[in-house]
């Protein structure tokens, strides 16, 4: 595993002049942030050694190097989902490569169903914490000391300082920001009403099929994480309607410029 990570990181180092400190994972329907990146260089996943290839509709699958608000970033357009059949080491492999590249900050986005009754479709939720409901853990198995400690702390998985910065940016720009706990599930089914209710009862505000594995590995790697859910449908009793992947993508599209702006501003302030 270590050798593969180094091999892939070396390949990427050979592709770009400067390795950024910031990486961004773009979720379902949230690829448009990539349009704000200038001086772009794109590398399709299928050209990157050891990278899995993304298959799901709406995930185009490439690494994008360039400048966001004038600052060097790497963005992943398309991520690897557990439900596609990848194991957790594959799902989180790009985060390991980011670690090997020396990335210090990871920004993550996703589309999610909202269980909090004060949420609306199109809201942006700042993720404060998560509940891991995946059946496989990304750190299961041998621990490589070079990558991180055996028993990583998760008390600040979504970095408090980054969250405060994001809240500041949202407030200054009149962007409505919800807050809450993200429940990560394997999918690919959306939840039954009873499951949404259960996730609400155990402390969840939104539920989705990603993010938790990458955030766990990023924390193992001692990166600072900031993550957002775009609420694309509601799992609130009385408001549950049929959900389709297309509707999720559509709802995500509408909210994404605001989320992109917050991420860009946070990076600018960190870089001062
Ligand atoms: N459940 C799980 N994943 C999702 C949802 C949902 O309601 N909406 C978008 N991704």
């Amino acid at each position: 595993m270590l050798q593969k990570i180094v091999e892939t990181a070396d390949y990427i180092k050979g592709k770009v002049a400067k390795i950024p400190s910031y990486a961004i994972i773009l979720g379902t329907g949230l690829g448009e942030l990539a349009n704000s990146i200038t001086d772009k260089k794109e590398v399709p996943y299928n050209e990157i050694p050891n990278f899995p290839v993304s298959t799901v509709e709406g995930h185009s699958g490439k690494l994008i190097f360039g400048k966001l608000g004038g600052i060097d970033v790497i963005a992943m357009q398309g991520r690897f989902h557990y439900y596609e059949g990848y194991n957790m080491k594959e799902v989180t492999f790009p985060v390991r490569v980011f670690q090997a590249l020396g990335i210090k900050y990871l920004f993550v986005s996703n589309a999610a169903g909202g269980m909090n009754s004060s949420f609306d479709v199109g809201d942006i939720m700042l993720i404060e914490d998560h509940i891991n409901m995946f059946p496989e853990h990304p750190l299961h198995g041998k621990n490589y000391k070079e990558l991180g400690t055996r028993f990583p702390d998760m008390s600040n998985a979504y970095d408090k300082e980054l969250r405060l910065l994001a809240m500041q940016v949202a407030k200054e720009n009149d962007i409505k920001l919800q807050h809450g706990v993200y429940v990560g599930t394997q999918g690919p089914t959306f939840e039954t009403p009873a499951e949404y209710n259960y996730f609400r009862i155990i402390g969840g505000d939104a539920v989705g099929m990603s993010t938790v594995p990458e955030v766990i590995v990023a924390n193992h790697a001692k990166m600072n994480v900031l993550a957002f859910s775009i609420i694309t449908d509601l799992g609130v009793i009385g408001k549950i309607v049929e959900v389709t992947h297309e509707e999720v993508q559509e709802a995500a599209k509408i909210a994404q410029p605001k989320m992109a702006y917050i991420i860009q501003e946070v990076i600018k302030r960190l870089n001062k």
Side-chain angles (χ1 to χ4, degrees):
M1 170 148 127
L2 293 178
Q3 199 191 330
K4 276 191 177 170
I5 296 167
V6 171
E7 192 180 293
T8 307
D10 284 347
Y11 171 85
I12 289 170
K13 282 179 197 161
K15 284 270 169 192
V16 285
K18 186 169 176 249
I19 299 294
S21 304
Y22 309 95
I24 307 166
I25 301 177
L26 301 170
T28 302
L30 298 166
E32 262 179 50
L33 183 143
N35 296 341
S36 316
I37 299 177
T38 58
D39 307 300
K40 254 190 259 193
K41 180 176 177 77
E42 301 187 341
V43 187
Y45 292 161
N46 60 11
E47 290 178 12
I48 304 175
N50 309 318
F51 244 56
V53 175
S54 181
T55 57
V56 74
E57 209 182 312
H59 300 264
S60 33
K62 57 191 173 194
L63 275 188
I64 302 168
F65 299 86
K67 289 184 191 296
L68 184 64
I71 296 152
D72 285 300
V73 297
I74 308 183
M76 274 184 80
Q77 191 166 41
R79 58 146 65 84
F80 305 104
H81 294 88
Y82 185 72
Y83 61 75
E84 292 177 85
Y86 303 112
N87 66 41
M88 281 301 190
K89 296 283 186 282
E90 291 169 322
V91 168
T92 57
F93 184 75
V95 182
R96 288 300 182 201
V97 174
F98 292 158
Q99 176 179 14
L101 291 172
I103 297 278
K104 294 283 176 266
Y105 294 92
L106 182 66
F107 298 82
V108 187
S109 63
N110 61 57
M115 278 99 59
N116 185 318
S117 59
S118 69
F119 289 3
D120 281 319
V121 168
D123 279 354
I124 303 171
M125 184 185 92
L126 178 64
I127 303 182
E128 294 183 324
D129 204 343
H130 75 218
I131 298 175
N132 180 12
M133 297 296 286
F134 282 92
E136 188 189 328
H137 199 283
L139 303 181
H140 176 91
K142 179 175 163 61
N143 187 66
Y144 294 93
K145 276 201 300 293
E146 300 87 331
L147 299 180
T149 179
R150 174 72 286 187
F151 300 106
D153 175 67
M154 291 293 287
S155 62
N156 190 34
Y158 300 82
D159 185 71
K160 182 95 188 276
E161 273 178 41
L162 290 182
R163 281 190 275 134
L164 287 173
L165 262 184
M167 283 159 64
Q168 222 175 49
V169 171
K171 193 164 176 210
E172 286 167 16
N173 293 278
D174 271 328
I175 298 171
K176 180 182 165 198
L177 204 54
Q178 302 281 19
H179 301 252
V181 173
Y182 177 87
V183 179
T185 62
Q186 63 174 313
T189 44
F190 293 112
E191 284 61 39
T192 63
E195 287 165 346
Y196 282 125
N197 191 38
Y198 165 67
F199 288 149
R200 180 68 186 145
I201 289 168
I202 64 168
D205 295 284
V207 55
M209 306 171 198
S210 68
T211 301
V212 165
E214 294 109 313
V215 170
I216 289 172
V217 169
N219 274 272
H220 188 236
K222 295 266 179 215
M223 290 178 204
N224 298 306
V225 175
L226 182 66
F228 300 92
S229 287
I230 304 287
I231 305 302
T232 57
D233 53 276
L234 295 175
V236 175
I237 294 169
K239 293 187 184 169
I240 299 173
V241 292
E242 192 180 323
V243 198
T244 64
H245 184 59
E246 290 67 32
E247 285 164 347
V248 164
Q249 284 177 295
E250 212 35 57
K253 249 187 208 154
I254 296 165
Q256 64 174 339
K258 286 184 271 180
M259 185 199 68
Y261 183 77
I262 297 174
I263 293 177
Q264 177 172 325
E265 274 302 306
V266 168
I267 292 178
K268 263 195 203 163
R269 291 177 194 198
L270 286 172
N271 210 56
K272 265 186 190 147

